[in-house]
Amino acid sequence: VVLLSYSCGNRKNAADYDQMIDSIRKAEVAAELLKPNEGDPVIAFFDTLGIKSIPMKYDVSFVEYLPQMKKVPSVFNSRFDYESNVELLAVKLPSYKNYHMMLLAEKLDSTTTTLYLCTMNQEYVLVDRLCIYEQKIENRNGNLGVMRQEYYVTSKYEVTLVSYFRGEKDEEESETAACRYVINKEGNFEETIVEL
């Protein structure tokens, strides 16, 4: 009788089981929240990039060595409108409004680089791209020489570009053009008047 009353007295009712089930469910939800996020691999890659501060301006050593910049896996080249066989390097810049900002380097060969300032949406899809640095051979009115474009980017992403040209027979390079761009609300680079 003592054994029977003891076993009947310790029997669990439905409310006890509900509490146990609730605590198991809470533990399962907590474990699910702690799992690593296996989201978009493109976003995961861009999150690994370092951030370069602004303002920034043309610097020979930066253009030559591209410090802080990381090679973009070729499968992600399409995010910048490039074929997979092009060598690209990227670094993040501080965001502007609702846009991710990137500095993109296109390696044309071991010594030639072109730099682009890129605006990307929240899913890291390219909105617009502006060439801010390049150097190339040009023929201007029968005068073969080197054209070089330099940049200055303010903390508000006001971009000033200055082009220089030096012909084979010229002793010094001369400034040939200057232009300024801002980012409009659609995330595109828009040319503005250069105030002298």
Short mmCIF file of all heavy atoms in Angstrom, two decimals, residues 66-130:
data_model
loop_
_atom_site.label_atom_id
_atom_site.label_comp_id
_atom_site.label_asym_id
_atom_site.label_seq_id
_atom_site.Cartn_x
_atom_site.Cartn_y
_atom_site.Cartn_z
N LEU A 66 48.50 48.81 -54.14
CA LEU A 66 47.13 48.50 -53.74
C LEU A 66 47.02 47.89 -52.34
O LEU A 66 46.44 46.82 -52.15
CB LEU A 66 46.47 47.57 -54.77
CG LEU A 66 46.47 48.08 -56.21
CD1 LEU A 66 45.97 47.01 -57.16
CD2 LEU A 66 45.66 49.35 -56.35
N PRO A 67 47.60 48.57 -51.34
CA PRO A 67 47.50 48.03 -49.97
C PRO A 67 46.05 47.99 -49.50
O PRO A 67 45.22 48.77 -49.97
CB PRO A 67 48.31 49.04 -49.14
CG PRO A 67 48.26 50.30 -49.93
CD PRO A 67 48.22 49.89 -51.37
N GLN A 68 45.73 47.09 -48.63
CA GLN A 68 44.40 46.86 -48.05
C GLN A 68 43.44 46.18 -49.03
O GLN A 68 42.39 45.73 -48.62
CB GLN A 68 43.73 48.18 -47.59
CG GLN A 68 44.45 48.91 -46.48
CD GLN A 68 43.74 50.22 -46.18
OE1 GLN A 68 44.02 51.23 -46.82
NE2 GLN A 68 42.83 50.20 -45.23
N MET A 69 43.77 46.14 -50.31
CA MET A 69 42.82 45.59 -51.27
C MET A 69 42.95 44.06 -51.34
O MET A 69 44.04 43.51 -51.22
CB MET A 69 43.01 46.23 -52.64
CG MET A 69 42.76 47.73 -52.60
SD MET A 69 42.62 48.49 -54.22
CE MET A 69 40.91 48.16 -54.60
N LYS A 70 41.82 43.42 -51.53
CA LYS A 70 41.75 41.96 -51.53
C LYS A 70 41.25 41.47 -52.89
O LYS A 70 40.34 42.07 -53.47
CB LYS A 70 40.79 41.50 -50.42
CG LYS A 70 40.71 40.01 -50.22
CD LYS A 70 39.83 39.71 -49.00
CE LYS A 70 39.74 38.22 -48.75
NZ LYS A 70 38.90 37.93 -47.58
N LYS A 71 41.85 40.38 -53.36
CA LYS A 71 41.45 39.84 -54.67
C LYS A 71 40.00 39.39 -54.63
O LYS A 71 39.56 38.71 -53.71
CB LYS A 71 42.36 38.67 -55.05
CG LYS A 71 42.12 38.17 -56.47
CD LYS A 71 43.16 37.16 -56.86
CE LYS A 71 43.04 36.62 -58.26
NZ LYS A 71 41.87 36.86 -59.03
N VAL A 72 39.25 39.79 -55.66
CA VAL A 72 37.84 39.38 -55.78
C VAL A 72 37.81 38.01 -56.45
O VAL A 72 38.38 37.83 -57.53
CB VAL A 72 37.05 40.40 -56.64
CG1 VAL A 72 35.61 39.94 -56.84
CG2 VAL A 72 37.10 41.79 -56.00
N PRO A 73 37.16 37.01 -55.83
CA PRO A 73 37.04 35.70 -56.49
C PRO A 73 36.35 35.88 -57.84
O PRO A 73 35.36 36.62 -57.96
CB PRO A 73 36.16 34.90 -55.52
CG PRO A 73 36.36 35.55 -54.19
CD PRO A 73 36.55 37.01 -54.48
N SER A 74 36.86 35.23 -58.86
CA SER A 74 36.36 35.45 -60.23
C SER A 74 34.87 35.18 -60.36
O SER A 74 34.21 35.79 -61.21
CB SER A 74 37.15 34.60 -61.22
OG SER A 74 37.06 33.24 -60.88
N VAL A 75 34.31 34.32 -59.51
CA VAL A 75 32.87 34.03 -59.60
C VAL A 75 32.02 35.24 -59.21
O VAL A 75 30.84 35.31 -59.55
CB VAL A 75 32.46 32.82 -58.74
CG1 VAL A 75 33.07 31.55 -59.27
CG2 VAL A 75 32.81 33.03 -57.27
N PHE A 76 32.64 36.22 -58.51
CA PHE A 76 31.90 37.42 -58.11
C PHE A 76 32.14 38.61 -59.04
O PHE A 76 31.61 39.69 -58.82
CB PHE A 76 32.27 37.83 -56.67
CG PHE A 76 31.98 36.76 -55.64
CD1 PHE A 76 32.75 36.68 -54.50
CD2 PHE A 76 30.96 35.85 -55.82
CE1 PHE A 76 32.50 35.70 -53.53
CE2 PHE A 76 30.70 34.87 -54.87
CZ PHE A 76 31.47 34.80 -53.72
N ASN A 77 32.96 38.43 -60.08
CA ASN A 77 33.26 39.53 -61.01
C ASN A 77 32.01 40.12 -61.64
O ASN A 77 31.95 41.31 -61.93
CB ASN A 77 34.21 39.07 -62.12
CG ASN A 77 35.65 39.03 -61.67
OD1 ASN A 77 35.95 39.08 -60.48
ND2 ASN A 77 36.56 38.91 -62.63
N SER A 78 31.00 39.28 -61.84
CA SER A 78 29.77 39.76 -62.49
C SER A 78 29.08 40.83 -61.64
O SER A 78 28.34 41.66 -62.18
CB SER A 78 28.82 38.60 -62.74
OG SER A 78 28.48 37.96 -61.53
N ARG A 79 29.35 40.86 -60.34
CA ARG A 79 28.76 41.91 -59.49
C ARG A 79 29.27 43.30 -59.88
O ARG A 79 28.65 44.30 -59.58
CB ARG A 79 29.08 41.66 -58.01
CG ARG A 79 28.37 40.46 -57.41
CD ARG A 79 26.87 40.71 -57.33
NE ARG A 79 26.17 39.52 -56.90
CZ ARG A 79 25.38 39.46 -55.84
NH1 ARG A 79 25.20 40.51 -55.08
NH2 ARG A 79 24.77 38.34 -55.56
N PHE A 80 30.44 43.33 -60.54
CA PHE A 80 31.01 44.59 -61.00
C PHE A 80 30.91 44.74 -62.52
O PHE A 80 31.56 45.58 -63.12
CB PHE A 80 32.48 44.69 -60.58
CG PHE A 80 32.68 44.73 -59.10
CD1 PHE A 80 33.19 43.63 -58.42
CD2 PHE A 80 32.36 45.87 -58.36
CE1 PHE A 80 33.39 43.68 -57.04
CE2 PHE A 80 32.56 45.91 -56.99
CZ PHE A 80 33.07 44.82 -56.33
N ASP A 81 30.12 43.89 -63.18
CA ASP A 81 29.95 43.89 -64.64
C ASP A 81 31.22 43.50 -65.38
O ASP A 81 31.57 44.10 -66.40
CB ASP A 81 29.44 45.25 -65.15
CG ASP A 81 27.94 45.41 -64.97
OD1 ASP A 81 27.27 44.39 -64.72
OD2 ASP A 81 27.45 46.54 -65.08
N TYR A 82 31.94 42.52 -64.87
CA TYR A 82 33.16 42.03 -65.51
C TYR A 82 33.04 40.55 -65.80
O TYR A 82 32.34 39.83 -65.11
CB TYR A 82 34.38 42.24 -64.61
CG TYR A 82 34.97 43.62 -64.67
CD1 TYR A 82 34.62 44.58 -63.72
CD2 TYR A 82 35.88 43.97 -65.66
CE1 TYR A 82 35.17 45.86 -63.78
CE2 TYR A 82 36.43 45.24 -65.72
CZ TYR A 82 36.07 46.18 -64.77
OH TYR A 82 36.60 47.44 -64.83
N GLU A 83 33.79 40.13 -66.83
CA GLU A 83 33.91 38.70 -67.12
C GLU A 83 34.79 38.06 -66.04
O GLU A 83 35.57 38.73 -65.38
CB GLU A 83 34.55 38.48 -68.50
CG GLU A 83 33.74 39.05 -69.66
CD GLU A 83 32.41 38.33 -69.85
OE1 GLU A 83 32.35 37.11 -69.61
OE2 GLU A 83 31.43 39.00 -70.23
N SER A 84 34.70 36.74 -65.90
CA SER A 84 35.43 36.05 -64.83
C SER A 84 36.94 36.00 -65.04
O SER A 84 37.68 35.74 -64.10
CB SER A 84 34.88 34.63 -64.66
OG SER A 84 35.07 33.91 -65.87
N ASN A 85 37.42 36.29 -66.26
CA ASN A 85 38.87 36.21 -66.51
C ASN A 85 39.62 37.50 -66.19
O ASN A 85 40.83 37.57 -66.38
CB ASN A 85 39.13 35.81 -67.97
CG ASN A 85 38.59 36.84 -68.96
OD1 ASN A 85 37.74 37.65 -68.62
ND2 ASN A 85 39.09 36.78 -70.18
N VAL A 86 38.93 38.53 -65.68
CA VAL A 86 39.57 39.81 -65.35
C VAL A 86 40.01 39.77 -63.89
O VAL A 86 39.26 39.33 -63.02
CB VAL A 86 38.60 40.98 -65.59
CG1 VAL A 86 39.24 42.31 -65.22
CG2 VAL A 86 38.14 41.00 -67.05
N GLU A 87 41.24 40.26 -63.62
CA GLU A 87 41.73 40.29 -62.23
C GLU A 87 41.26 41.57 -61.55
O GLU A 87 41.59 42.67 -61.98
CB GLU A 87 43.25 40.22 -62.20
CG GLU A 87 43.79 40.14 -60.77
CD GLU A 87 45.30 40.06 -60.69
OE1 GLU A 87 45.97 39.94 -61.73
OE2 GLU A 87 45.81 40.14 -59.56
N LEU A 88 40.48 41.40 -60.49
CA LEU A 88 39.93 42.54 -59.74
C LEU A 88 40.35 42.45 -58.28
O LEU A 88 40.47 41.36 -57.73
CB LEU A 88 38.40 42.55 -59.81
CG LEU A 88 37.74 42.66 -61.18
CD1 LEU A 88 36.23 42.56 -61.04
CD2 LEU A 88 38.12 43.97 -61.85
N LEU A 89 40.57 43.63 -57.68
CA LEU A 89 40.81 43.72 -56.24
C LEU A 89 39.83 44.76 -55.69
O LEU A 89 39.47 45.71 -56.41
CB LEU A 89 42.24 44.14 -55.94
CG LEU A 89 43.31 43.13 -56.32
CD1 LEU A 89 43.89 43.49 -57.68
CD2 LEU A 89 44.41 43.10 -55.29
N ALA A 90 39.43 44.59 -54.44
CA ALA A 90 38.44 45.51 -53.88
C ALA A 90 38.73 45.80 -52.41
O ALA A 90 39.35 45.00 -51.72
CB ALA A 90 37.04 44.94 -54.03
N VAL A 91 38.26 46.96 -51.98
CA VAL A 91 38.27 47.34 -50.57
C VAL A 91 37.01 48.16 -50.33
O VAL A 91 36.55 48.88 -51.22
CB VAL A 91 39.55 48.13 -50.19
CG1 VAL A 91 39.60 49.50 -50.86
CG2 VAL A 91 39.69 48.27 -48.68
N LYS A 92 36.42 48.00 -49.14
CA LYS A 92 35.22 48.76 -48.82
C LYS A 92 35.61 50.18 -48.42
O LYS A 92 36.70 50.41 -47.89
CB LYS A 92 34.45 48.12 -47.67
CG LYS A 92 33.69 46.89 -48.08
CD LYS A 92 32.61 46.52 -47.09
CE LYS A 92 33.16 45.87 -45.85
NZ LYS A 92 32.12 45.27 -45.01
N LEU A 93 34.68 51.09 -48.65
CA LEU A 93 34.78 52.47 -48.18
C LEU A 93 33.59 52.69 -47.26
O LEU A 93 32.63 51.92 -47.29
CB LEU A 93 34.73 53.43 -49.37
CG LEU A 93 35.85 53.28 -50.41
CD1 LEU A 93 35.54 54.11 -51.65
CD2 LEU A 93 37.19 53.68 -49.82
N PRO A 94 33.61 53.75 -46.45
CA PRO A 94 32.43 54.01 -45.61
C PRO A 94 31.17 54.14 -46.46
O PRO A 94 31.22 54.66 -47.58
CB PRO A 94 32.78 55.33 -44.92
CG PRO A 94 34.28 55.36 -44.92
CD PRO A 94 34.70 54.69 -46.20
N SER A 95 30.05 53.64 -45.95
CA SER A 95 28.78 53.69 -46.68
C SER A 95 28.35 55.12 -46.93
O SER A 95 28.73 56.05 -46.20
CB SER A 95 27.68 52.97 -45.90
OG SER A 95 28.02 51.62 -45.76
N TYR A 96 27.53 55.28 -47.96
CA TYR A 96 26.96 56.60 -48.28
C TYR A 96 25.46 56.42 -48.42
O TYR A 96 24.99 55.69 -49.29
CB TYR A 96 27.55 57.16 -49.57
CG TYR A 96 26.99 58.51 -49.93
CD1 TYR A 96 27.40 59.65 -49.26
CD2 TYR A 96 26.04 58.64 -50.94
CE1 TYR A 96 26.88 60.89 -49.58
CE2 TYR A 96 25.53 59.88 -51.27
CZ TYR A 96 25.95 61.00 -50.59
OH TYR A 96 25.41 62.24 -50.90
N LYS A 97 24.71 57.05 -47.49
CA LYS A 97 23.26 56.90 -47.44
C LYS A 97 22.91 55.41 -47.41
O LYS A 97 23.37 54.70 -46.53
CB LYS A 97 22.60 57.66 -48.59
CG LYS A 97 22.87 59.17 -48.47
CD LYS A 97 22.13 59.99 -49.47
CE LYS A 97 22.41 61.47 -49.18
NZ LYS A 97 21.82 62.35 -50.18
N ASN A 98 22.13 54.90 -48.38
CA ASN A 98 21.76 53.48 -48.36
C ASN A 98 22.65 52.62 -49.26
O ASN A 98 22.26 51.52 -49.64
CB ASN A 98 20.29 53.31 -48.79
CG ASN A 98 19.35 53.89 -47.77
OD1 ASN A 98 19.60 53.80 -46.58
ND2 ASN A 98 18.28 54.49 -48.23
N TYR A 99 23.81 53.13 -49.61
CA TYR A 99 24.67 52.42 -50.58
C TYR A 99 25.98 51.95 -49.94
O TYR A 99 26.59 52.68 -49.17
CB TYR A 99 24.96 53.31 -51.79
CG TYR A 99 23.71 53.71 -52.52
CD1 TYR A 99 23.13 54.96 -52.33
CD2 TYR A 99 23.06 52.81 -53.36
CE1 TYR A 99 21.96 55.31 -52.97
CE2 TYR A 99 21.88 53.15 -54.00
CZ TYR A 99 21.34 54.40 -53.80
OH TYR A 99 20.17 54.74 -54.43
N HIS A 100 26.38 50.73 -50.32
CA HIS A 100 27.72 50.26 -49.99
C HIS A 100 28.67 50.93 -50.99
O HIS A 100 28.34 51.04 -52.17
CB HIS A 100 27.84 48.74 -50.15
CG HIS A 100 27.00 47.97 -49.19
ND1 HIS A 100 27.26 47.94 -47.84
CD2 HIS A 100 25.91 47.18 -49.39
CE1 HIS A 100 26.37 47.16 -47.24
NE2 HIS A 100 25.54 46.70 -48.17
N MET A 101 29.83 51.36 -50.53
CA MET A 101 30.81 52.00 -51.40
C MET A 101 32.04 51.10 -51.48
O MET A 101 32.50 50.57 -50.47
CB MET A 101 31.19 53.38 -50.86
CG MET A 101 30.02 54.35 -50.74
SD MET A 101 29.18 54.70 -52.29
CE MET A 101 30.49 55.49 -53.21
N MET A 102 32.57 50.96 -52.70
CA MET A 102 33.73 50.12 -52.94
C MET A 102 34.76 50.87 -53.76
O MET A 102 34.40 51.68 -54.61
CB MET A 102 33.35 48.87 -53.74
CG MET A 102 32.41 47.95 -53.07
SD MET A 102 33.25 46.97 -51.84
CE MET A 102 31.84 46.31 -51.00
N LEU A 103 36.01 50.56 -53.52
CA LEU A 103 37.09 50.99 -54.40
C LEU A 103 37.53 49.71 -55.11
O LEU A 103 37.89 48.73 -54.46
CB LEU A 103 38.24 51.60 -53.61
CG LEU A 103 39.37 52.21 -54.45
CD1 LEU A 103 38.85 53.36 -55.31
CD2 LEU A 103 40.48 52.72 -53.54
N LEU A 104 37.46 49.73 -56.44
CA LEU A 104 37.75 48.56 -57.25
C LEU A 104 38.97 48.82 -58.11
O LEU A 104 39.08 49.87 -58.75
CB LEU A 104 36.54 48.25 -58.14
CG LEU A 104 36.63 47.03 -59.05
CD1 LEU A 104 36.56 45.76 -58.21
CD2 LEU A 104 35.53 47.05 -60.09
N ALA A 105 39.90 47.87 -58.13
CA ALA A 105 41.09 47.97 -58.97
C ALA A 105 41.02 46.90 -60.04
O ALA A 105 40.83 45.72 -59.73
CB ALA A 105 42.36 47.81 -58.14
N GLU A 106 41.16 47.31 -61.29
CA GLU A 106 41.24 46.37 -62.40
C GLU A 106 42.70 46.28 -62.82
O GLU A 106 43.30 47.27 -63.22
CB GLU A 106 40.39 46.86 -63.58
CG GLU A 106 40.47 45.97 -64.80
CD GLU A 106 39.78 46.55 -66.01
OE1 GLU A 106 39.18 47.64 -65.92
OE2 GLU A 106 39.84 45.91 -67.07
N LYS A 107 43.28 45.10 -62.68
CA LYS A 107 44.68 44.89 -63.06
C LYS A 107 44.74 44.54 -64.53
O LYS A 107 44.35 43.45 -64.94
CB LYS A 107 45.30 43.77 -62.23
CG LYS A 107 45.43 44.06 -60.75
CD LYS A 107 46.52 45.05 -60.44
CE LYS A 107 47.87 44.41 -60.54
NZ LYS A 107 48.97 45.35 -60.29
N LEU A 108 45.21 45.48 -65.34
CA LEU A 108 45.31 45.24 -66.78
C LEU A 108 46.53 44.40 -67.11
O LEU A 108 46.51 43.59 -68.03
CB LEU A 108 45.35 46.58 -67.52
CG LEU A 108 44.13 47.49 -67.23
CD1 LEU A 108 44.34 48.86 -67.84
CD2 LEU A 108 42.87 46.85 -67.75
N ASP A 109 47.61 44.60 -66.37
CA ASP A 109 48.80 43.76 -66.44
C ASP A 109 49.56 43.97 -65.14
O ASP A 109 49.03 44.59 -64.21
CB ASP A 109 49.66 44.08 -67.68
CG ASP A 109 50.08 45.54 -67.76
OD1 ASP A 109 50.53 46.10 -66.74
OD2 ASP A 109 49.96 46.14 -68.85
N SER A 110 50.79 43.50 -65.05
CA SER A 110 51.52 43.56 -63.77
C SER A 110 51.82 44.99 -63.32
O SER A 110 52.06 45.23 -62.14
CB SER A 110 52.81 42.76 -63.86
OG SER A 110 53.64 43.28 -64.87
N THR A 111 51.80 45.95 -64.24
CA THR A 111 52.15 47.33 -63.86
C THR A 111 51.03 48.33 -64.09
O THR A 111 51.12 49.46 -63.64
CB THR A 111 53.39 47.81 -64.64
OG1 THR A 111 53.10 47.75 -66.05
CG2 THR A 111 54.60 46.97 -64.32
N THR A 112 49.97 47.94 -64.78
CA THR A 112 48.91 48.89 -65.14
C THR A 112 47.63 48.58 -64.38
O THR A 112 47.11 47.47 -64.46
CB THR A 112 48.64 48.84 -66.66
OG1 THR A 112 49.88 48.95 -67.35
CG2 THR A 112 47.73 49.98 -67.08
N THR A 113 47.14 49.59 -63.68
CA THR A 113 45.93 49.45 -62.88
C THR A 113 44.98 50.59 -63.20
O THR A 113 45.39 51.73 -63.41
CB THR A 113 46.27 49.50 -61.37
OG1 THR A 113 47.18 48.45 -61.06
CG2 THR A 113 45.04 49.37 -60.51
N THR A 114 43.70 50.28 -63.22
CA THR A 114 42.66 51.30 -63.33
C THR A 114 41.82 51.21 -62.06
O THR A 114 41.46 50.11 -61.63
CB THR A 114 41.78 51.07 -64.57
OG1 THR A 114 42.62 51.07 -65.73
CG2 THR A 114 40.73 52.15 -64.72
N LEU A 115 41.51 52.36 -61.44
CA LEU A 115 40.71 52.39 -60.21
C LEU A 115 39.31 52.92 -60.49
O LEU A 115 39.15 53.89 -61.23
CB LEU A 115 41.36 53.28 -59.16
CG LEU A 115 42.61 52.78 -58.46
CD1 LEU A 115 43.08 53.82 -57.44
CD2 LEU A 115 42.38 51.45 -57.77
N TYR A 116 38.33 52.29 -59.85
CA TYR A 116 36.94 52.72 -59.97
C TYR A 116 36.34 52.92 -58.59
O TYR A 116 36.62 52.15 -57.66
CB TYR A 116 36.11 51.66 -60.70
CG TYR A 116 36.50 51.44 -62.13
CD1 TYR A 116 37.45 50.47 -62.47
CD2 TYR A 116 35.94 52.20 -63.16
CE1 TYR A 116 37.83 50.27 -63.78
CE2 TYR A 116 36.32 52.00 -64.48
CZ TYR A 116 37.26 51.04 -64.78
OH TYR A 116 37.63 50.84 -66.09
N LEU A 117 35.49 53.92 -58.49
CA LEU A 117 34.68 54.13 -57.30
C LEU A 117 33.31 53.54 -57.64
O LEU A 117 32.74 53.87 -58.69
CB LEU A 117 34.59 55.63 -57.00
CG LEU A 117 33.97 56.05 -55.69
CD1 LEU A 117 34.72 55.47 -54.50
CD2 LEU A 117 33.95 57.57 -55.59
N CYS A 118 32.79 52.65 -56.78
CA CYS A 118 31.55 51.95 -57.09
C CYS A 118 30.50 52.17 -56.01
O CYS A 118 30.82 52.15 -54.81
CB CYS A 118 31.80 50.45 -57.21
SG CYS A 118 33.00 49.99 -58.45
N THR A 119 29.26 52.35 -56.44
CA THR A 119 28.13 52.34 -55.51
C THR A 119 27.40 51.02 -55.72
O THR A 119 27.20 50.57 -56.85
CB THR A 119 27.14 53.51 -55.77
OG1 THR A 119 26.73 53.49 -57.13
CG2 THR A 119 27.77 54.85 -55.46
N MET A 120 27.03 50.38 -54.60
CA MET A 120 26.34 49.09 -54.67
C MET A 120 25.14 49.13 -53.72
O MET A 120 25.18 49.80 -52.68
CB MET A 120 27.29 47.96 -54.28
CG MET A 120 28.54 47.92 -55.14
SD MET A 120 29.63 46.56 -54.74
CE MET A 120 28.90 45.26 -55.72
N ASN A 121 24.07 48.41 -54.10
CA ASN A 121 22.90 48.41 -53.24
C ASN A 121 23.12 47.52 -52.02
O ASN A 121 24.21 46.99 -51.83
CB ASN A 121 21.63 48.03 -54.03
CG ASN A 121 21.64 46.59 -54.50
OD1 ASN A 121 22.41 45.74 -54.03
ND2 ASN A 121 20.78 46.29 -55.46
N GLN A 122 22.09 47.32 -51.22
CA GLN A 122 22.23 46.56 -49.97
C GLN A 122 22.56 45.09 -50.22
O GLN A 122 23.10 44.41 -49.34
CB GLN A 122 20.96 46.68 -49.13
CG GLN A 122 20.75 48.07 -48.54
CD GLN A 122 21.90 48.49 -47.65
OE1 GLN A 122 22.21 47.83 -46.68
NE2 GLN A 122 22.54 49.61 -47.98
N GLU A 123 22.26 44.57 -51.41
CA GLU A 123 22.58 43.17 -51.74
C GLU A 123 23.91 43.08 -52.50
O GLU A 123 24.22 42.05 -53.09
CB GLU A 123 21.46 42.56 -52.60
CG GLU A 123 20.18 42.27 -51.83
CD GLU A 123 19.39 43.54 -51.54
OE1 GLU A 123 19.32 44.42 -52.42
OE2 GLU A 123 18.87 43.65 -50.42
N TYR A 124 24.69 44.16 -52.49
CA TYR A 124 25.99 44.22 -53.17
C TYR A 124 25.86 44.00 -54.68
O TYR A 124 26.67 43.31 -55.29
CB TYR A 124 26.98 43.23 -52.56
CG TYR A 124 27.45 43.63 -51.18
CD1 TYR A 124 26.86 43.08 -50.06
CD2 TYR A 124 28.45 44.58 -51.01
CE1 TYR A 124 27.27 43.45 -48.78
CE2 TYR A 124 28.86 44.95 -49.75
CZ TYR A 124 28.27 44.39 -48.63
OH TYR A 124 28.68 44.76 -47.38
N VAL A 125 24.84 44.58 -55.27
CA VAL A 125 24.71 44.61 -56.72
C VAL A 125 25.11 46.01 -57.18
O VAL A 125 24.69 47.01 -56.60
CB VAL A 125 23.26 44.29 -57.16
CG1 VAL A 125 23.11 44.44 -58.67
CG2 VAL A 125 22.87 42.88 -56.72
N LEU A 126 25.93 46.07 -58.24
CA LEU A 126 26.46 47.34 -58.73
C LEU A 126 25.34 48.27 -59.16
O LEU A 126 24.45 47.88 -59.92
CB LEU A 126 27.41 47.09 -59.90
CG LEU A 126 28.10 48.31 -60.50
CD1 LEU A 126 29.13 48.88 -59.52
CD2 LEU A 126 28.77 47.95 -61.82
N VAL A 127 25.41 49.53 -58.69
CA VAL A 127 24.48 50.57 -59.13
C VAL A 127 25.19 51.44 -60.17
O VAL A 127 24.68 51.66 -61.26
CB VAL A 127 23.99 51.43 -57.94
CG1 VAL A 127 23.11 52.58 -58.42
CG2 VAL A 127 23.24 50.56 -56.93
N ASP A 128 26.40 51.93 -59.84
CA ASP A 128 27.16 52.75 -60.78
C ASP A 128 28.65 52.64 -60.48
O ASP A 128 29.04 52.26 -59.37
CB ASP A 128 26.70 54.22 -60.70
CG ASP A 128 27.06 55.03 -61.94
OD1 ASP A 128 27.52 54.44 -62.94
OD2 ASP A 128 26.88 56.26 -61.91
N ARG A 129 29.45 52.98 -61.50
CA ARG A 129 30.90 52.87 -61.38
C ARG A 129 31.52 54.09 -62.07
O ARG A 129 31.11 54.46 -63.16
CB ARG A 129 31.33 51.57 -62.05
CG ARG A 129 32.80 51.33 -62.12
CD ARG A 129 33.10 49.98 -62.72
NE ARG A 129 32.70 49.90 -64.12
CZ ARG A 129 32.56 48.77 -64.79
NH1 ARG A 129 32.76 47.63 -64.19
NH2 ARG A 129 32.23 48.77 -66.05
N LEU A 130 32.52 54.69 -61.41
CA LEU A 130 33.20 55.87 -61.96
C LEU A 130 34.70 55.61 -61.98
O LEU A 130 35.29 55.30 -60.94
CB LEU A 130 32.89 57.10 -61.09
CG LEU A 130 33.59 58.41 -61.48
CD1 LEU A 130 33.09 58.93 -62.82
CD2 LEU A 130 33.38 59.47 -60.39
#
